[in-house]
Amino acid sequence: SRLQSWLDQQEVRDLIQLIVEGCGSNNNSDERIISAISSFEYSIKKGFDSSLQDTILSSGLVHTLVALFDPTLVVTMPLRVQKQAAFALLALLEFNKDVFVSLVLMSKLVENLIGLLDLARTRLEKDVLLELMLIFKGFLSAGEAVFIDKVYSENGIPRFVEILDHKSQALRHVAMECVMELAYHGRMEVIEKMLELEVIKKLASLQKTNAYVVDAQYSSCEMLTQQERGQSLHSQDNHFVINYSFADTLAKFTLNFAIGTGLRKRERCALKREVIKQITEILDDHVELANITAEILWAP
């Protein structure tokens, strides 16, 4: 066990050196870095180790991994390296959330991701934007309120709500999932901001389309599992293809808001009136309106 602990610590030091010296220099270096980050992710998933944690903290590995998302490196930084770095950072949050959430936030991960989102939207890079949104979804789920607070402070909430209007159905779907996380974990300021941006209206519009989407782009992302989405998955031409719809989107949002963890009781009561008002103005289906209103009113 002492030998394994030493090997794990040495792995951290070697990983930092490999990233600093070789990232973006050539395809072979990138593949070696991806492999090394994947190996590190496997090591920390084996369970908590205080010696390994001390090495990670003292070596500055978190800062090194977050630096891979620096928007100024977008020309030389392959997206596949960033995705693997995201998996490793998410594993660190599972390793010890109390320590690493604050460290990841202080390393400016949110600022970097928002910068990359803006670049991808400006350049109309739909596939890159989709992958970045999936990465965001993973951190919103793992970091919960504290991560959402940082997104709010960096004016990131409008980015997610605006993407609900994107032409790509796949992007709309992952933006919807991000909005659900915001509704469940977000504090009052977050919910108020989404309501101000007409999120209810946008979700109702998505629900009316009720369009089933088939998109192979999700096949390369392991951050969200089939079980999490509750959607059908099948193989087609050696690719995984997922079917998903926007049915009951508005009801899911209101339920997340009504039973979420981010609001105090008095804050939830204050916001219920505004949510019911906006839903009443939009929905034509009186049965659905009655059901959603009842869910909001009877929620704790």
Side-chain angles (χ1 to χ4, degrees):
S1 62
R2 290 174 62 187
L3 176 59
Q4 184 60 53
S5 178
W6 180 87
L7 289 172
D8 290 341
Q9 294 173 52
Q10 189 61 39
E11 181 180 45
V12 170
R13 301 184 185 96
D14 292 343
L15 175 57
I16 292 176
Q17 183 177 357
L18 188 60
I19 292 174
V20 172
E21 294 180 354
C23 203
S25 58
N26 57 67
N27 188 67
N28 185 50
S29 296
D30 293 340
E31 294 304 324
R32 289 174 57 204
I33 291 170
I34 291 171
S35 177
I37 296 176
S38 178
S39 178
F40 166 73
E41 179 191 356
Y42 174 77
S43 296
I44 58 178
K45 281 186 173 180
K46 290 186 293 187
F48 180 76
D49 183 312
S50 58
S51 298
L52 178 56
Q53 176 173 278
D54 291 342
T55 302
I56 295 170
L57 294 173
S58 62
S59 66
L61 177 61
V62 171
H63 179 77
T64 303
L65 290 173
V66 171
L68 296 175
F69 298 90
D70 188 339
T72 62
L73 303 177
V74 69
V75 176
T76 59
M77 188 58 57
L79 183 59
R80 61 186 186 277
V81 174
Q82 293 174 328
K83 285 170 56 180
Q84 192 59 57
F87 294 144
L89 289 169
L90 285 168
L92 279 175
L93 300 189
E94 295 179 7
F95 184 75
N96 191 343
K97 181 179 289 189
D98 293 337
V99 170
F100 288 105
V101 165
S102 58
L103 190 57
V104 167
L105 292 177
M106 287 189 295
S107 300
K108 298 186 176 182
L109 176 67
V110 172
E111 295 92 321
N112 287 350
L113 283 175
I114 289 176
L116 290 173
L117 275 178
D118 290 340
L119 279 174
R121 292 185 65 185
T122 302
R123 300 179 179 187
L124 303 178
E125 297 172 333
K126 185 186 72 172
D127 295 345
V128 174
L129 186 58
L130 178 61
E131 297 289 2
L132 290 171
M133 288 293 290
L134 286 166
I135 290 172
F136 246 124
K137 167 64 170 58
F139 283 107
L140 288 175
S141 301
E144 300 176 2
V146 64
F147 195 86
I148 292 173
D149 288 344
K150 186 64 175 177
V151 171
Y152 174 81
S153 68
E154 295 297 325
N155 199 32
I157 305 300
R159 271 80 166 184
F160 301 130
V161 178
E162 289 167 8
I163 292 176
L164 291 172
D165 292 327
H166 200 279
K167 293 180 180 179
S168 166
Q169 297 280 27
L171 268 170
R172 287 184 182 185
H173 192 272
V174 71
M176 179 195 70
E177 290 183 324
C178 289
V179 165
M180 297 302 175
E181 293 291 342
L182 296 174
Y184 188 83
H185 297 295
R187 304 188 198 276
M188 187 169 186
E189 298 84 357
V190 174
I191 307 299
E192 287 179 329
K193 186 64 177 178
M194 288 197 292
L195 294 177
E196 177 188 327
L197 295 167
E198 299 185 325
V199 70
I200 298 289
K201 183 177 180 180
K202 294 178 187 294
L203 292 175
S205 177
L206 285 179
Q207 183 171 301
K208 286 179 181 178
T209 64
N210 195 25
Y212 283 86
V213 183
V214 180
D215 197 302
Q217 294 300 326
Y218 272 121
S219 63
S220 61
C221 184
E222 303 167 18
M223 200 166 294
L224 301 176
T225 66
Q226 175 198 357
Q227 290 74 21
E228 283 178 302
R229 300 191 198 95
Q231 295 146 0
S232 60
L233 183 67
H234 63 276
S235 179
Q236 177 179 309
D237 298 328
N238 297 322
H239 291 283
F240 286 111
V241 180
I242 302 171
N243 301 327
Y244 37 146
S245 80
F246 297 106
D248 301 322
T249 297
L250 198 55
K252 292 173 185 176
F253 174 83
T254 53
L255 182 61
N256 280 7
F257 151 76
I259 66 173
T261 61
L263 298 173
R264 299 184 180 91
K265 187 173 182 179
R266 56 184 175 81
E267 293 174 335
R268 186 177 286 108
C269 290
L271 287 172
K272 280 180 179 180
R273 289 189 292 271
E274 180 60 27
V275 172
I276 291 174
K277 176 186 174 184
Q278 291 193 19
I279 291 175
T280 303
E281 293 172 351
I282 293 169
L283 278 184
D284 298 324
D285 188 330
H286 296 295
V287 174
E288 183 181 8
L289 176 60
N291 290 336
I292 293 176
T293 303
E295 285 184 358
I296 295 175
L297 292 177
W298 286 104

